[in-house]
Amino acid sequence: MGIIPPDEVLKEVKEPFLWKEIIFSPKYRKDRVLKYVGSWKNLRLEICFDQLRMYNSWHKFYHGNNYGDYTIEEIKETIQIFVEKFGSGFLQASIKKMTIGCNLSCNAEKFYFKCISLGPTSFQDMRMGNTHKVYGQYAKQTNLKFKLYDKQHEAKIHDRKKIPPTLRVEQEMNMNYIRKRKGTPIRVNTPSDLLQKGWLSEAIFELVVQTERIVFSSDLPIEPSDSLVEAEIKILMGNPRSREVIRAKATPKTFRKRAKIYDGFLREYKQENIGKCLSQMVEEKMMFLAGQNTG
């Protein structure tokens, strides 16, 4: 957002200074001050001459964590806190990145251990702690990153908090792309847009549709009539790690052919329950967080 530069910024002081009750310290490139950096709770704030930049989670700023709910009304309250702190100009600040997501009360391992891909994009392991334990999966594309992970485990390691079994589903987005995307944009440019209703239905639709695109592994039965290749496909293509080995060793054409056969088996055996269950839970939770503000 645009600001009137503090006097210390105009003078390019080389000592920390107080602005808006936040201590800012200079950061250098060679011998010249490049910017001033401060922190407010979990937020990282940067002053670059007449621009103020804000990074990190509003959810964590408001609640101190993000393993609980964060409703649209709380988002509005968060924006009001920022307006009181930085002025009404905050409402017209440009939003570069945004995360949509929710926490679900369920056994996280039941879902993320079975993730194979998000459409054509393979999931990768999320690891944490000294043991590098896998606690979730992510699929990264050019302008977004979709994640499912065990929030209970993260809260235990990061915050030393004991919470009930919780699966977090979220998507980080490059808004410069998402708001201009053809067909299904999420039309959020500034914080003032978040005070309106239209974007909520777009965000809920985005997260639900992405969840429906997840390909889950499944224990398919080996039939006496199956050929050796069909049996191998059922066993190997349904295991996320074995599937990646096949992807690395096979030609792209062979891998696509085997993936297509496996998808056909999933439809044949109607192995869609876990995906439908997850997308339904995501939709119900997102609607709850939105309250009466969609439409």
Side-chain angles (χ1 to χ4, degrees), residues 20-179:
K20 302 290 185 180
E21 300 179 330
I22 300 169
I23 297 175
F24 285 85
S25 300
K27 296 296 179 181
Y28 298 90
R29 176 175 291 171
K30 295 183 178 180
D31 294 328
R32 184 169 183 177
V33 176
L34 178 65
K35 58 188 174 183
Y36 294 89
V37 178
S39 61
W40 183 21
K41 295 185 179 181
N42 69 301
L43 299 178
R44 175 184 172 90
L45 302 171
E46 294 182 357
I47 298 177
C48 298
F49 191 63
D50 62 349
Q51 294 293 313
L52 175 66
R53 298 169 184 167
M54 178 184 291
Y55 302 89
N56 297 335
S57 168
W58 290 10
H59 189 164
K60 291 180 180 179
F61 171 84
Y62 188 87
H63 283 289
N65 60 71
N66 71 339
Y67 48 74
D69 291 339
Y70 189 43
T71 68
I72 182 58
E73 296 305 323
E74 291 171 335
I75 291 175
K76 292 178 180 179
E77 291 174 13
T78 305
I79 292 173
Q80 183 58 36
I81 292 171
F82 294 149
V83 168
E84 292 174 358
K85 188 76 164 179
F86 302 115
S88 60
F90 179 80
L91 292 173
Q92 301 307 317
S94 177
I95 294 177
K96 303 295 186 183
K97 295 188 177 182
M98 188 170 80
T99 298
I100 53 176
C102 60
N103 298 313
L104 306 173
S105 298
C106 62
N107 180 356
E109 291 187 359
K110 174 184 175 181
F111 294 97
Y112 74 76
F113 262 133
K114 292 190 174 184
C115 291
I116 294 178
S117 65
L118 181 68
T121 306
S122 296
F123 276 101
Q124 305 294 323
D125 291 340
M126 295 173 63
R127 298 178 181 273
M128 178 187 293
N130 296 330
T131 61
H132 302 289
K133 177 184 175 179
V134 175
Y135 75 105
Q137 299 286 322
Y138 73 90
K140 189 173 183 180
Q141 299 174 352
T142 303
N143 292 294
L144 60 85
K145 186 176 183 180
F146 186 92
K147 299 191 288 187
L148 301 92
Y149 60 98
D150 186 343
K151 202 66 186 178
Q152 182 186 48
H153 179 71
E154 186 186 69
K156 178 182 177 181
I157 301 300
H158 277 183
D159 304 314
R160 300 184 184 276
K161 295 287 186 180
K162 187 175 182 180
I163 66 172
T166 303
L167 171 69
R168 181 159 179 85
V169 180
E170 67 179 43
Q171 179 169 279
E172 303 169 2
M173 302 176 293
N174 174 3
M175 294 306 295
N176 287 334
Y177 167 78
I178 295 295
R179 58 176 159 251

Side-chain angles (χ1 to χ4, degrees), residues 111-117 215-222 229-246 255 258-263 265-266 271 274:
F111 294 97
Y112 74 76
F113 262 133
K114 292 190 174 184
C115 291
I116 294 178
S117 65
V215 177
F216 291 96
S217 63
S218 183
D219 298 323
L220 298 177
I222 306 300
V229 171
E230 289 173 332
E232 289 176 344
I233 288 173
K234 285 183 176 181
I235 295 170
L236 298 176
M237 295 299 284
N239 181 293
R241 287 158 185 79
S242 299
R243 189 181 178 101
E244 287 307 301
V245 173
I246 300 300
F255 179 83
R258 294 198 169 202
K260 184 177 181 180
I261 294 172
Y262 179 76
D263 290 343
F265 284 138
L266 290 180
Q271 296 288 342
I274 187 171

Side-chain angles (χ1 to χ4, degrees), residues 232-290:
E232 289 176 344
I233 288 173
K234 285 183 176 181
I235 295 170
L236 298 176
M237 295 299 284
N239 181 293
R241 287 158 185 79
S242 299
R243 189 181 178 101
E244 287 307 301
V245 173
I246 300 300
R247 183 192 294 274
K249 293 183 176 295
T251 65
K253 182 177 180 181
T254 298
F255 179 83
R256 287 195 299 270
K257 182 178 179 180
R258 294 198 169 202
K260 184 177 181 180
I261 294 172
Y262 179 76
D263 290 343
F265 284 138
L266 290 180
R267 290 191 294 272
E268 178 182 342
Y269 289 97
K270 297 182 180 179
Q271 296 288 342
E272 300 174 347
N273 289 342
I274 187 171
K276 287 184 177 179
C277 177
L278 181 59
S279 63
Q280 183 177 353
M281 286 194 298
V282 168
E283 183 172 14
E284 290 176 354
K285 188 56 174 286
M286 292 296 285
M287 292 297 291
F288 166 77
L289 296 175

